[in-house]
Amino acid sequence: MRDSQARTTYLKDYRPPPFTIETTDLEFNLYEDHVLVVAKLLFKPNDGSDEPAPNALTLHGHELELRRLLIDGKNLESDQFFKDDDSITIPGLSGLLEKPQQQFIVEIHTRIEPQKNTALEGLYKSKKIFCTQCEAEGFRRITYYLDRPDVMSRFTTTIKAERQKYPVLLSNGNNIGSGIDEKNPDRHWVTWEDPFKKPCYLFALVAGDLESLDDTFVTCSGQKVKLQIFVEEKDLDKCDHAMLSLKNAMAWDEEVYGREYDLEVYMIVAVDDFNMGAMENKGLNIFNTSCVLANPSTTSDSAFQRVEGVVAHEYFHNWSGNRVTCRDWFQLSLKEGFTVFRDSEFSADMGSRTVKRVEDVNFLKTVQFAEDAGPMAHSVRPDSYMEISNFYTVTVYEKGAEVVRMLSLILGQENFRKGTNLYFNRHDGQAVTTEDFVKAMEDASGIDLSQFRRWYSQAGTPVLNIIGNYEAGKKQYSLKVQQSCPDTPGQNNKLPFSIPLRMGLLNKNGIELPLRLKDEKVAESTDRVLTVNQETQQFVFLDVPERPVPSLLRSFSAPVRLDFDYSREDLYFLMVHDSDGFNRWNAAQLLASDIIRELQNCAASNSLQIVPPILINAYSGVLDAVLKPNELDKAMIAHLLLLPSEGSLIEQVEIANVDSIFSAREFIANALAKELEDRFAAVFEANSSDNPFKTDSGSIAQRALKNLALAYLVRIGSDYWVECCFRQFEEATNMTDQMAALRCLVNSDSKLAIDLANASLKAFYDKWKDEPLVVDQWFMVQASCQREGTLSQVKELLQHEAFEIRNPNKVLSLIRTFCGQNYIGFHHASGEGYEFLADRVLEIDTFNPQIAARLLAPLTRWKKFDPKRQSMMQTQLRRIKAETNLSKDVFEVVDKSTIN
Ligand code: BES
Ligand code: ZN
C-alpha cells in the first residue's frame, strides 16, 4: 500500500524557490511523430530566499526524453546529474559554473511525443492541432523547469513546423518575427515575445490549420488591441457571440475595476479535446470548443450564456491571475474565487442579476454543500493535497467566489473598489497569497478582517440556527442567532465565523419595516446587514408595531445553511411579497421542498397523497402574474415555477431516499400540471411567438418560460400536448426549442411519447451527426432520461460510432451526466450504476487521470444514502483502490473516500 502521507504536499512546508529564472528562451521543432524542444534558461540565486543558494539544482520534469544538458555552454555527461520520474538534479553546481553564486545558463534539449499524450496535459494534439495545457503542472511535460507559480520569467518562443499542415503558429505575447526555414522551405517559423513576466503555467503554444475571426478593441487609454478567435474553418460561423462577449468583458473590466488590457493582441483558440472549459494563458487563451462556439441553430441558450461567462472569466484572469498570480497552488482561490466572482458580476450586469444569483446559489447549495459534507471537504485555501488537479473544486471556485462576495458586501462598493485597486497596484508582477488579498482589503477600508479570515482556513458549511420572537407589549422583535460548523476531515471544533446576514422585516401587508436595533437612535433602513460573529447572539429590533415575517439571508449574503422555522403560510407570503427577488425564489423552493417531504412520508405510511392547495395557489398566482404584461421578469418566473431539483432535495436531508424523493417530486409536478393546465397552456401560447431569433436576455427568458410550460403540459400525458411537443421538435429553428421538446419526449411515460422519442432521437442524430457539440447534447438527453433502463441505454451508447472515450466532452456528456445528474438511474437499488462508474473510472484512468478522478465524484457522496447503498458504493471505491497502477489523481480520491 502506498504511503498517502509521503505523497502529500503541505502548505506549511512552503519555501521560496532557491533560484529564479530571469528569462526563458524556447524553441520548438514540431514533427509528425515527435517534437524537439530546446530551452535556454537564465538562472539566478533568489534574493528573496532566506537560505543561501544550494549547491545543487533540481528541476521538475515528467515523461521527458532528455537529449542534451548544458550549463554555461558545457555539456553535462550522464554521470553529472541524476533523474527520477518527476525531476532531475544537478549536484556540485559551483564546480560547473563560470561565476559561482551568480547567474548561469542551463540549456536543455528534450524530445516529447505530443501525438501520444492522452492525458491532455503539457503539449498534445487535439485532432490535427498542436496545443498546450500547462496549468497546474503541465509545463514539466515539455521541458525541465522550476514548475511552480512563484517562479516568474520573461518568455521568448520560436515555433518551427511544416507550412502546409501548420500555417498558424502561436504563442504568448507579441509576434516579433517569422520566416521560412532556409534549409527546408517546406517549413516555417514564428517568434513570439511576452514582455510580461509569468509563471510557466501560463505558457501556451498552438500550431495548426486554423482560420480566425478578427476584430479590434480600443482600450480606455486609446491602445488598439487586435482580437482573434482561431477555429477550424467549418466553425468560423460560430464565433460572433464569443467575440461580442470578449469586447463586452474588456469594456466592463475597464469600467468596473479600472483594468485595461496590456498586449497588442488577444487570441483565443478553440480545440475539441480539452480537459477543462478554458485556460487563461497570457495573450493566448485556449478553449474547449464547447465554451467558444455558439450559433442559434446548434447551441442552446444556456450554452450561449456559458460562452459569455467563460470568455469573460478567462479575460478577467489577465489581471486576477496573470498580472497578479498565485504564490503556490494552495492559493488557487486567490485567482479562481476572485475571478468567478468577477465573471458572475459581469453576467449579472449583462442579463438579469436576480436570475444569475439564483442559478449560482442553486449550484453552490447542491454541489458545493455536498462536497463540504463529504470526504473530500477542504477549506477555500486547502492545507494539503496529493494531486493539485483534484483541487480545482467547487469549494475553491464557488465558495471562494462567495468569500469575495462577502468582502464586497462588508466593505461596500466604494471601499471594495479601493481594495481591489490597492491589491492590483501593490502586487502587480508578483505571486501572492489570499492573505495578501485580504490585507489589501483591510488596508484600503480600515475594516478589521481578522475573524473574517477563517473563511479561508476552516472547511465545512456553517449552520445558522435562528429563532424569531415577537413581544407585542414591548413592540420588540428579536432574532436569536446560533452558529455552528460541522467537523470535516482533519478539522474539528471550528471557531465562529464572521457572517454577514442581510435581512429585512415585513409586516402583514408585505410592507418593509424600518429596522432600528436596540441602542440605535433611529432606524437605518428597511434592509441591512447584521454581523454574526459569535456562537450565539441576539438582535433586538425596536418599534415593531406587529409580528413581522423576517426575510433572512437576502441575496444569499453568506454561504451558510439557514435554519429558521417558517410556516408554509410565511413562505407563501415571502414568495409573493419579499422585495428581495432571490428570497422570493428561495421561499418557493422551501415551500415545495417541505411539501415534497410530506408526500414522501404519506407514501411511506401508505396514506393518501394530495398536493396541498397552498402550493397550487402559489403556482397559479405566479402564472397569473406572468400572463399580465410586464408584470415580472420572465426568467425569474421560470425559476419560481421550477420544483427543487432532486439534487437539492437530496442535499437538504441527512440521509436521502432517492426513490421516494423522485416519486414525490414526480407526483407533485404531474398534479400541478393537471391542476393548472389552462394557465400553463396560456403561458405556452403567449410565449410562442415566431419573432426572429435573438439571444438577448429577454428572448432567452421567454423561451425558458415557454419550455417550462411545455414540460408541465407534456406531463399531463394527453396526445394533444405530446403532439404539440413533437411539432415543436420538428419545426424548431433553434437548438433551445428543439432540445427542450426532445427532452420532454424522452422523459414522458405516455405511449405516444415513447414512440415519438425513439424516432426523434434517431432523426436528431442523423441531422446533427457532423456537429460534435450537438452530438454531446444528444448523449446528455439520453443519459439523463429518467425512465427505467437508462443504464443499459448508456452502455449501448458507449459503443455508438459517435462516442469517443478519449474525448473529455463525450465522456462527460454521457458518463458524468448519467452518474452525476440522473439520481434515479445511477442509484438504482441493484448497485449496477456504481459498478458501471467504477469500471469506467478504471478504464479512463489508464490514459486520462484528471478526467477519471473528476468522474469519481458521485461515488464519494456515499454518506448521503441508505446503508445498503453506502456499502455498495464503498465496495466499488475499494475495488478501485485495490488496483495497482492507479494515477495519483484517482488514488487520492479513493484513498480519502474509503473507510477502512
Ligand atoms: N485556470 C482555469 C483552467 C484550468 C483549471 C486549468 C484546472 C488547469 C486546471 C480556468 O480559468 C477556469 O477556471 N476555467 C473554468 C471555467 C470558468 C468559467 C470557471 C473551467 O475550465 O471549467
Ligand atoms: Zn479560472
Side-chain angles (χ1 to χ4, degrees):
M1 187 76 351
R2 278 170 286 191
D3 181 3
S4 320
Q5 208 136 20
R7 298 158 58 92
T8 301
T9 306
Y10 296 90
L11 169 59
K12 63 176 167 44
D13 293 340
Y14 173 83
R15 298 287 175 279
F19 298 97
T20 59
I21 304 177
E22 298 295 298
T23 58
T24 300
D25 257 296
L26 300 170
E27 185 187 296
F28 290 82
N29 252 297
L30 309 181
Y31 298 101
E32 283 318 282
D33 59 355
H34 71 280
V35 169
L36 299 176
V37 185
V38 180
K40 292 181 189 147
L41 314 176
L42 176 59
F43 282 86
K44 241 174 138 177
N46 182 8
D47 312 329
S49 169
D50 323 330
E51 290 148 36
N55 193 27
L57 176 66
T58 299
L59 301 177
H60 301 110
H62 193 71
E63 290 178 5
L64 297 171
E65 182 187 325
L66 180 62
R67 287 283 184 95
R68 274 184 83 188
L69 181 59
L70 302 92
I71 287 200
D72 282 340
K74 285 187 298 251
N75 216 358
L76 293 193
E77 300 304 326
S78 60
D79 60 356
Q80 290 179 286
F81 54 87
F82 39 92
K83 273 194 302 180
D84 64 21
D85 281 354
D86 301 296
S87 67
I88 188 168
T89 297
I90 307 168
L93 205 52
S94 54
L96 301 168
L97 305 183
E98 301 261 304
K99 303 179 222 152
Q101 302 300 315
Q102 292 178 37
Q103 59 182 49
F104 58 95
I105 292 175
V106 177
E107 182 175 323
I108 307 159
H109 296 232
T110 50
R111 179 184 187 277
I112 51 180
E113 296 186 327
Q115 296 80 356
K116 293 189 184 158
N117 179 344
T118 56
L120 316 185
E121 289 178 84
L123 177 61
Y124 67 94
K125 248 185 151 178
S126 173
K127 295 203 290 192
K128 293 177 179 164
I129 307 167
F130 279 103
C131 61
T132 52
Q133 173 54 44
C134 294
E135 186 178 2
E137 298 180 336
F139 193 76
R140 60 187 66 183
R141 292 165 177 263
I142 294 174
T143 187
Y144 288 100
Y145 204 78
L146 289 176
D147 187 359
R148 45 187 289 171
D150 55 356
V151 172
M152 299 173 79
S153 184
R154 273 187 202 84
F155 281 68
T156 309
T157 306
T158 298
I159 312 167
K160 301 180 171 177
E162 207 179 305
R163 264 158 73 190
Q164 275 231 298
K165 289 200 171 93
Y166 309 101
V168 174
L169 304 176
L170 309 175
S171 191
N172 318 84
N174 302 315
N175 181 328
I176 55 161
S178 58
I180 306 290
D181 189 335
E182 281 169 13
K183 286 181 223 137
N184 183 351
D186 288 346
R187 294 177 68 80
H188 68 151
W189 60 272
V190 179
T191 299
W192 294 84
E193 184 183 72
D194 185 350
F196 294 94
K197 280 180 129 192
K198 65 167 175 290
C200 63
Y201 84 85
L202 290 172
F203 169 79
L205 174 157
V206 169
D209 187 1
L210 299 164
E211 299 287 327
S212 68
L213 173 71
D214 295 4
D215 208 327
T216 52
F217 182 85
V218 180
T219 70
C220 49
S221 75
Q223 301 297 310
K224 215 165 149 186
V225 181
K226 182 169 177 180
L227 311 177
Q228 296 186 289
I229 301 181
F230 290 90
V231 295
E232 285 179 47
E233 191 187 355
K234 68 173 173 61
D235 291 325
L236 259 183
D237 60 345
K238 304 190 189 74
C239 299
D240 295 337
H241 178 65
M243 185 61 88
L244 178 63
S245 304
L246 175 59
K247 289 187 285 184
N248 287 339
M250 294 177 85
W252 188 89
D253 213 18
E254 290 183 348
E255 157 134 14
V256 181
Y257 284 85
R259 299 293 120 197
E260 189 180 351
Y261 188 61
D262 51 15
L263 287 167
E264 292 159 22
V265 47
Y266 190 87
M267 298 175 282
I268 288 178
V269 180
V271 298
D272 279 319
D273 302 291
F274 201 73
N275 282 347
M276 302 295 293
M279 176 65 208
E280 71 265 24
N281 319 300
K282 183 79 187 188
L284 176 56
N285 290 182
I286 299 181
F287 272 61
N288 189 318
T289 42
S290 70
C291 294
V292 194
L293 305 181
N295 150 332
S297 64
T298 56
T299 312
S300 61
D301 291 337
S302 56
F304 265 87
Q305 288 173 324
R306 168 112 180 122
V307 168
E308 179 183 71
V310 181
V311 167
H313 177 98
E314 306 310 336
Y315 174 73
F316 296 152
H317 270 316
N318 191 52
W319 276 95
S320 50
N322 301 2
R323 291 287 288 258
V324 182
T325 195
C326 302
R327 187 192 72 173
D328 55 72
W329 292 120
F330 297 103
Q331 318 299 326
L332 183 58
S333 196
L334 175 77
K335 75 177 178 83
E336 295 302 349
F338 186 23
T339 305
V340 170
F341 171 70
R342 277 151 57 68
D343 82 54
S344 78
E345 283 295 291
F346 166 74
S347 296
D349 285 345
M350 296 292 121
S352 154
R353 175 161 288 271
T354 312
V355 169
K356 175 65 179 156
R357 191 67 191 134
V358 164
E359 288 166 354
D360 287 352
V361 173
N362 208 9
F363 180 67
L364 184 87
K365 286 214 241 179
T366 45
V367 187
Q368 197 278 325
F369 280 20
E371 180 168 272
D372 241 353
M376 294 289 289
H378 54 275
S379 45
V380 169
R381 183 192 55 222
D383 305 305
S384 69
Y385 58 76
M386 279 189 233
E387 171 53 62
I388 184 56
S389 300
N390 287 332
F391 283 78
Y392 287 75
T393 60
V394 280
T395 299
V396 166
Y397 275 66
E398 271 69 28
K399 187 175 179 179
E402 292 301 316
V403 172
V404 177
R405 181 178 297 280
M406 287 190 284
L407 280 172
S408 77
L409 179 65
I410 292 167
L411 266 65
Q413 202 178 333
E414 208 173 299
N415 273 330
F416 183 72
R417 173 69 186 268
K418 277 192 202 154
T420 58
N421 282 348
L422 180 61
Y423 168 73
F424 287 128
N425 296 338
R426 186 185 270 178
H427 298 297
D428 191 6
Q430 298 177 357
V432 303
T433 61
T434 55
E435 171 55 29
D436 293 317
F437 183 79
V438 177
K439 188 76 175 52
M441 293 294 155
E442 216 166 36
D443 290 351
S445 68
I447 296 173
D448 177 3
L449 297 168
S450 0
Q451 189 182 359
F452 185 85
R453 284 172 169 81
R454 289 181 190 151
W455 283 107
Y456 285 96
S457 57
Q458 295 190 144
T461 308
V463 180
L464 276 190
N465 203 293
I466 305 186
I467 297 171
N469 184 36
Y470 183 64
E471 286 177 84
K474 293 191 188 157
K475 295 205 184 313
Q476 286 187 2
Y477 183 72
S478 67
L479 290 173
K480 206 173 133 208
V481 184
Q482 201 174 17
Q483 66 160 302
S484 61
C485 182
D487 291 347
T488 48
Q491 279 191 352
N492 301 339
N493 307 321
K494 321 265 161 126
L495 298 168
F497 290 86
S498 173
I499 301 171
L501 177 69
R502 213 183 128 195
M503 49 81 63
L505 298 176
L506 278 68
N507 78 3
K508 64 174 178 299
N509 300 318
I511 307 292
E512 309 257 331
L513 297 170
L515 302 173
R516 179 180 158 217
L517 281 173
K518 215 172 173 166
D519 301 330
E520 288 177 350
K521 292 218 170 62
V522 286
E524 260 185 21
S525 60
T526 58
D527 176 287
R528 58 189 289 174
V529 181
L530 307 177
T531 304
V532 176
N533 54 13
Q534 285 149 44
E535 242 163 78
T536 56
Q537 240 163 315
Q538 175 130 309
F539 298 91
V540 180
F541 296 92
L542 308 179
D543 317 325
V544 183
E546 57 184 278
R547 173 184 304 279
V549 177
S551 168
L552 300 171
L553 205 65
R554 280 184 160 169
S555 67
F556 201 67
S557 58
V560 299
R561 286 177 205 268
L562 173 65
D563 188 354
F564 183 91
D565 194 15
Y566 282 114
S567 68
R568 286 186 185 170
E569 287 66 32
D570 287 347
L571 292 172
Y572 181 95
F573 175 86
L574 287 173
M575 182 179 162
V576 176
H577 293 292
D578 203 324
S579 62
D580 183 60
F582 173 83
N583 267 9
R584 295 183 53 200
W585 169 79
N586 197 49
Q589 293 281 298
L590 290 175
L591 178 62
S593 303
D594 191 50
I595 290 168
I596 290 173
R597 269 192 295 279
E598 177 184 311
L599 252 76
Q600 287 180 256
N601 292 335
C602 291
S605 61
N606 277 320
S607 47
L608 187 65
Q609 299 185 51
I610 47 151
V611 179
I614 192 166
L615 188 67
I616 296 175
N617 289 340
Y619 272 53
S620 67
V622 175
L623 284 163
D624 285 343
V626 74
L627 288 166
K628 294 188 206 125
N630 299 328
E631 258 297 309
L632 275 164
D633 176 351
K634 287 182 176 174
M636 195 54 213
I637 300 278
H639 280 285
L640 279 174
L641 294 174
L642 207 54
L643 291 174
S645 67
E646 287 166 83
S648 107
L649 291 163
I650 291 172
E651 210 292 313
Q652 291 173 40
V653 292
E654 180 117 351
I655 300 284
N657 182 333
V658 184
D659 298 303
S660 102
I661 286 178
F662 176 76
S663 315
R665 189 179 180 281
E666 286 294 290
F667 179 86
I668 294 184
N670 293 341
L672 286 168
K674 290 205 181 93
E675 285 285 339
L676 301 171
E677 176 171 2
D678 293 349
R679 285 184 175 84
F680 280 122
V683 167
F684 180 72
E685 305 297 344
N687 290 283
S688 295
S689 64
D690 323 344
N691 293 333
F693 182 88
K694 282 192 292 187
T695 53
D696 62 289
S697 59
S699 311
I700 290 179
Q702 181 167 329
R703 281 188 290 277
L705 190 55
K706 170 186 66 180
N707 288 320
L708 172 109
L710 179 65
Y712 275 106
L713 292 165
V714 172
R715 283 179 175 277
I716 295 167
S718 67
D719 288 357
Y720 177 82
W721 289 116
V722 173
E723 276 160 10
C724 170
C725 180
F726 182 63
R727 214 172 313 124
Q728 174 169 322
F729 171 77
E730 290 216 301
E731 292 169 8
T733 54
N734 65 78
M735 190 47 74
T736 305
D737 287 345
Q738 188 165 45
M739 257 301 156
L742 184 60
R743 200 172 300 120
C744 293
L745 292 173
V746 165
N747 284 295
S748 164
D749 289 323
S750 106
K751 204 181 150 303
L752 177 59
I754 293 175
D755 294 340
L756 291 173
N758 290 327
S760 307
L761 282 167
K762 190 174 174 307
F764 187 90
Y765 178 73
D766 289 339
K767 178 168 177 197
W768 296 114
K769 61 172 180 289
D770 297 325
E771 293 284 351
L773 297 174
V774 183
V775 174
D776 291 345
Q777 299 178 62
W778 180 77
F779 280 124
M780 271 162 123
V781 213
Q782 296 178 82
S784 48
C785 169
Q786 311 234 296
R787 292 204 293 245
E788 269 291 322
T790 299
L791 177 57
S792 30
Q793 201 62 42
V794 168
K795 286 180 179 167
E796 261 176 53
L797 286 169
L798 289 175
Q799 309 304 323
H800 192 276
E801 59 168 15
F803 187 77
E804 300 165 61
I805 197 134
R806 294 195 178 218
N807 174 257
N809 291 356
K810 294 280 173 297
V811 168
L812 299 178
S813 304
L814 186 61
I815 304 173
R816 191 181 50 186
T817 301
F818 177 74
C819 301
Q821 263 142 263
N822 191 339
Y823 294 92
I824 191 88
F826 177 63
H827 293 282
H828 192 277
S830 65
E832 283 171 14
Y834 309 147
E835 187 180 1
F836 168 76
L837 178 53
D839 287 341
R840 301 287 79 72
V841 166
L842 287 171
E843 177 184 5
I844 294 166
D845 195 40
T846 60
F847 58 86
N848 189 333
Q850 280 186 12
I851 295 292
R854 215 176 308 150
L855 270 187
L856 252 175
L859 275 178
T860 67
R861 306 284 183 259
W862 55 269
K863 263 192 207 157
K864 272 281 168 195
F865 304 95
D866 57 85
K868 244 182 105 183
R869 286 188 171 85
Q870 286 198 5
S871 115
M872 292 191 291
M873 294 170 91
Q874 278 288 323
T875 303
Q876 296 307 325
L877 287 166
R878 279 197 296 268
R879 179 161 78 90
I880 299 173
K881 198 176 164 186
E883 195 65 33
T884 41
N885 280 321
L886 287 185
S887 66
K888 231 185 182 187
D889 311 55
V890 167
F891 176 76
E892 176 169 33
V893 180
V894 289
D895 186 52
K896 291 181 173 168
S897 316
T898 42
I899 34 181
N900 63 57

